[in-house]
Amino acid sequence: MEVKNKTMFHIHQSNEYDDLWQENNEFIVDHNFISKCGRAIPDFNTNIYLMNEDPCSLSWVIKHYLEEGIEKQDPKLIHSLLEDAFMIISNANRTKCEAALEICRRQLFPMLPSRLHSIWVTDQACLDFWSHRLLGKEIFELDLTGNLFKSSDIYIPDDRLTLEEALKQTEDYWNPVFTPEAEEKKNIYFKEKYL
């Protein structure tokens, strides 16, 4: 849907384009813009940083400690490794989801905007829902001229799905049916123009 001077809201996460997200700032969201979703795919890795701060694959570290004997390890170290493993698995699930959404979009809905090159926005009706779900974030009121695409969080693939299953499920994201639940949890993406 094309809009001109449409008021929408963005819930900003720190360390995500902080230089752009400043009051009264203007910027262009086109195919050169790479969103947090867009960086998830090429930036994904399974590295952790040990005391010497050199990246090291988490699987190598776990293998090393299993070979040495897990019972000999410092419980704080094991806790830290579990936290790292949790973050890597969470990032892997998010990356799988974004890859499935982008593959499906390119194959079946190429006329729709890529989440990888758009910004997430919400309207006044959903601002309360999203601001509670995304706690502790700064809210920006935006004046948008360009294109909006609306779907819903209920159509995001489940973490438990394989990539193949996620690809099938993502068709609903790009061709949503707006039930009351879907409307309450709607995702809106903005881009200057669709390619």
Side-chain angles (χ1 to χ4, degrees):
M1 160 178 52
E2 195 165 333
V3 296
K4 184 168 180 158
N5 300 323
K6 173 96 172 154
T7 299
M8 300 294 284
F9 300 90
H10 176 79
I11 302 174
H12 176 62
Q13 296 181 337
S14 296
N15 302 319
E16 296 296 328
Y17 294 110
D18 288 339
D19 56 326
L20 295 178
W21 291 105
Q22 302 291 324
E23 191 173 344
N24 297 318
N25 199 12
E26 292 183 24
F27 58 94
I28 295 172
V29 181
D30 60 12
H31 67 280
N32 295 314
F33 180 85
I34 301 174
S35 68
K36 181 178 180 177
C37 298
R39 287 196 317 272
I41 296 169
D43 290 351
F44 177 73
N45 66 67
T46 61
N47 293 335
I48 62 171
Y49 294 87
L50 301 175
M51 286 181 260
N52 62 6
E53 298 190 22
D54 288 335
C56 188
S57 175
L58 178 63
S59 62
W60 181 88
V61 174
I62 291 172
K63 180 178 185 251
H64 173 75
Y65 287 122
L66 287 172
E67 288 172 352
E68 282 194 6
I70 202 83
E71 64 283 344
K72 296 178 186 175
Q73 304 309 316
D74 178 356
K76 289 181 182 178
L77 175 65
I78 300 303
H79 186 268
S80 178
L81 285 174
L82 288 172
E83 286 178 338
D84 288 338
F86 171 78
M87 287 306 300
I88 287 170
I89 291 167
S90 295
N91 287 337
N93 284 333
R94 192 181 94 209
T95 301
K96 175 184 66 178
C97 170
E98 292 303 334
L101 285 162
E102 184 63 9
I103 291 166
C104 179
R105 185 197 68 81
R106 286 182 184 179
Q107 289 177 350
L108 302 176
F109 305 97
M111 71 302 258
L112 296 178
S114 170
R115 289 167 48 101
L116 310 182
H117 301 284
S118 301
I119 60 169
W120 177 92
V121 296
T122 191
D123 57 17
Q124 185 70 50
C126 290
L127 185 58
D128 192 49
F129 170 81
W130 286 111
S131 62
H132 284 92
R133 189 162 183 198
L134 304 171
L135 293 174
K137 312 297 187 239
E138 191 173 4
I139 299 173
F140 283 88
E141 183 175 320
L142 308 175
D143 182 32
L144 303 176
T145 297
N147 291 279
L148 296 175
F149 170 74
K150 181 174 91 167
S151 189
S152 179
D153 205 46
I154 69 169
Y155 298 119
I156 298 286
D158 187 289
D159 286 351
R160 296 169 291 176
L161 300 177
T162 65
L163 180 59
E164 186 175 332
E165 292 166 334
L167 281 166
K168 290 177 186 163
Q169 191 179 35
T170 59
E171 289 183 38
D172 293 336
Y173 183 87
W174 296 110
N175 191 24
V177 174
F178 279 95
T179 63
E181 182 190 11
E183 188 66 35
E184 178 187 39
K185 298 175 181 180
K186 67 185 164 212
N187 280 203
I188 304 171
Y189 280 85
F190 170 77
K191 190 170 184 177
E192 299 288 324
K193 44 175 134 167
Y194 299 165
L195 293 179

